[in-house]
């Protein structure tokens, strides 16, 4: 199985900051990476697929980049509703696998 | 508006069975692959299974292969997950998800919409 390693595991930031979360795949996966946001007690929400494409309705403050083994999710101008846990997922091959999550907390 | 509503969760003893349902609306159900993803209490996301739009292709996580069966009724816009021989480690919130693709063969797919989840607790 392909392992997805996210860093950092947790991150403290302030409202208005710009943050970047990194995801590394254990082997090359082209651009078959998705990113998800999960607020406490809620279902995940899909943000990005194909490493860079925003899902419908997702604001442009979210952006993704990368190809091969290294990928990033960047969130600009943090607002209170952005403080949540973020997961990457590879879907290049079965089984699709998720990173362990990055918890973004308010500083 | 896409809506996915799971039901069927509950408390079951180890070795028991449960059938989850996911009622879909707001999109052409028969055009999209559908998945189940679970999340154990306090843990991360764990992919369980996927079925193609037409129901002809399925994939399972090794941890549930041979115990869980995914199915769908496109006439009822409903996805199912039959879970047999349940184990304590199957305890989780189970999410139904609509995938971005029709096909699941060759390359895996990824969700674009998620249901609110249904809790399955396996305990004696």
């Amino acid at each position: 199985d392909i392992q997805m390693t996210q860093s950092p595991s947790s991150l403290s930031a302030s409202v208005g900051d710009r943050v970047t979360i990194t995801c590394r795949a254990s082997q090359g996966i082209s651009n078959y990476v998705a990113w998800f946001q999960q607020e406490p007690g809620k279902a995940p929400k899909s943000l990005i697929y194909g490493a860079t494409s925003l899902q419908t309705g997702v604001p442009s403050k979210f952006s993704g980049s990368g190809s091969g083994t290294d990928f990033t999710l960047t969130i600009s101008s943090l607002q209170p509703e952005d403080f949540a846990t973020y997961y990457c997922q590879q879907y290049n091959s079965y089984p699709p696998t998720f990173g362990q999550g990055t918890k973004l907390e308010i500083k | 508006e896409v809506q996915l509503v799971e039901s069927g969760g509950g408390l079951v003893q180890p070795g028991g069975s449960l059938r989850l349902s996911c009622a879909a609306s707001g999109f052409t159900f028969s055009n999209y692959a559908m998945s189940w993803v679970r999340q154990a209490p306090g843990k991360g996301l764990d992919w369980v299974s996927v079925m193609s739009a037409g129901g002809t292709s399925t994939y399972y996580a090794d941890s549930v292969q041979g115990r869980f069966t995914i199915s769908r009724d496109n006439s009822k816009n409903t996805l199912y997950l039959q879970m047999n021989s349940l184990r304590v480690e199957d305890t989780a919130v189970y999410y139904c998800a609509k995938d971005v693709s029709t096909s699941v063969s060759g390359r895996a797919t990824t969700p674009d919409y998620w249901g609110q989840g249904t809790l399955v607790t396996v305990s004696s």
Side-chain angles (χ1 to χ4, degrees):
Chain A
D1 297 0
I2 297 174
Q3 292 193 17
M4 301 295 283
T5 304
Q6 281 182 242
S7 60
S9 296
S10 63
L11 176 60
S12 292
S14 300
V15 171
D17 284 354
R18 178 175 181 260
V19 298
T20 296
I21 299 168
T22 297
C23 193
R24 174 164 288 177
S26 58
Q27 64 189 73
I29 55 172
S30 184
N31 66 334
Y32 293 99
V33 162
W35 290 93
F36 305 94
Q37 175 195 61
Q38 188 176 33
E39 297 176 58
K42 294 191 174 181
K45 175 185 177 183
S46 300
L47 298 176
I48 287 172
Y49 67 101
T52 61
S53 299
L54 290 179
Q55 293 283 4
T56 302
V58 174
S60 58
K61 62 185 299 180
F62 294 94
S63 63
S65 66
S67 183
T69 59
D70 295 315
F71 303 87
T72 60
L73 171 70
T74 299
I75 312 168
S76 61
S77 187
L78 283 171
Q79 296 302 305
E81 60 270 22
D82 299 327
F83 292 91
T85 299
Y86 292 84
Y87 295 92
C88 62
Q89 181 210 32
Q90 71 79 20
Y91 57 102
N92 181 73
S93 62
Y94 286 102
T97 46
F98 294 90
Q100 80 279 13
T102 295
K103 187 174 184 179
L104 177 56
E105 299 174 306
I106 298 178
K107 186 182 290 183
Chain B
E1 178 193 6
V2 173
Q3 286 199 320
L4 300 168
V5 180
E6 300 95 335
S7 60
L11 174 64
V12 61
Q13 292 187 337
S17 298
L18 216 52
R19 189 198 199 199
L20 306 183
S21 298
C22 171
S25 62
F27 65 102
T28 305
F29 182 72
S30 59
N31 284 356
Y32 293 94
M34 297 291 295
S35 294
W36 290 98
V37 177
R38 66 185 179 182
Q39 186 171 36
K43 302 296 184 183
L45 301 172
D46 182 32
W47 176 81
V48 174
S49 182
V50 66
M51 174 168 266
S52 62
T56 56
S57 296
T58 59
Y59 289 86
Y60 296 93
D62 286 347
S63 58
V64 307
Q65 179 79 48
R67 300 187 299 123
F68 290 10
T69 302
I70 190 172
S71 62
R72 63 192 294 163
D73 186 336
N74 284 349
S75 69
K76 295 182 178 179
N77 291 350
T78 304
L79 179 73
Y80 303 100
L81 186 67
Q82 177 67 45
M83 304 186 295
N84 298 331
S85 302
L86 282 161
R87 304 167 180 169
V88 171
E89 55 265 34
D90 294 319
T91 294
V93 174
Y94 284 73
Y95 295 103
C96 160
K98 170 189 171 293
D99 286 333
V100 300
S101 303
T102 295
S103 170
V104 301
S105 298
R107 195 175 303 282
T109 182
T110 189
D112 55 2
Y113 292 95
W114 300 68
Q116 86 289 348
T118 186
L119 176 62
V120 172
T121 304
V122 185
S123 174
S124 55

